[in-house]
Amino acid sequence: MNFEVIHVSRGDIRLKCGDKHVRVLGEALIASASTEPSYIIYLDSLYNWEVPSDVALTETEKNDVVSTIRKHFQDCGSVVEFE
């Protein structure tokens, strides 16, 4: 699937894929060095689509979301951590 990061806030990241939307909880951090994470993603919050509501994400979709987020932060020159 082709996900796109559409919004990053200090408490979540929102992505879309076509007309579907997903929200992943996380936490923005103040990194003191370029090698430290600037964001932590809480993987246990990644289980359902936000739109359409209450539809479970497949493992492939979850992996695609993680890859998209990782690439987004790499493109910004930041480090993201997943837990």
Side-chain angles (χ1 to χ4, degrees), residues 29-38 77-79:
L29 305 171
I30 298 173
S32 60
S34 62
T35 57
E36 292 183 0
S38 60
S78 298
V79 177

Side-chain angles (χ1 to χ4, degrees), residues 20 23 26-28 30 35 47 55 57 59 67 70 73-74 77 79:
K20 296 179 175 181
R23 177 179 179 227
E27 187 174 347
I30 298 173
T35 57
Y47 51 90
V55 175
L57 288 156
E59 285 303 312
S67 295
R70 183 173 282 121
F73 279 90
Q74 284 175 348
V79 177

Side-chain angles (χ1 to χ4, degrees), residues 10 35 40 46 54-55 58:
R10 65 183 185 175
T35 57
I40 295 176
L46 183 57
D54 298 325
V55 175
T58 66

Side-chain angles (χ1 to χ4, degrees), residues 30-74:
I30 298 173
S32 60
S34 62
T35 57
E36 292 183 0
S38 60
Y39 211 96
I40 295 176
I41 299 294
Y42 303 128
L43 291 173
D44 60 350
S45 72
L46 183 57
Y47 51 90
N48 280 347
W49 288 98
E50 187 172 45
V51 175
S53 62
D54 298 325
V55 175
L57 288 156
T58 66
E59 285 303 312
T60 300
E61 291 166 338
K62 290 178 185 181
N63 290 334
D64 289 347
V65 166
V66 168
S67 295
T68 301
I69 292 171
R70 183 173 282 121
K71 182 177 180 341
H72 174 81
F73 279 90
Q74 284 175 348

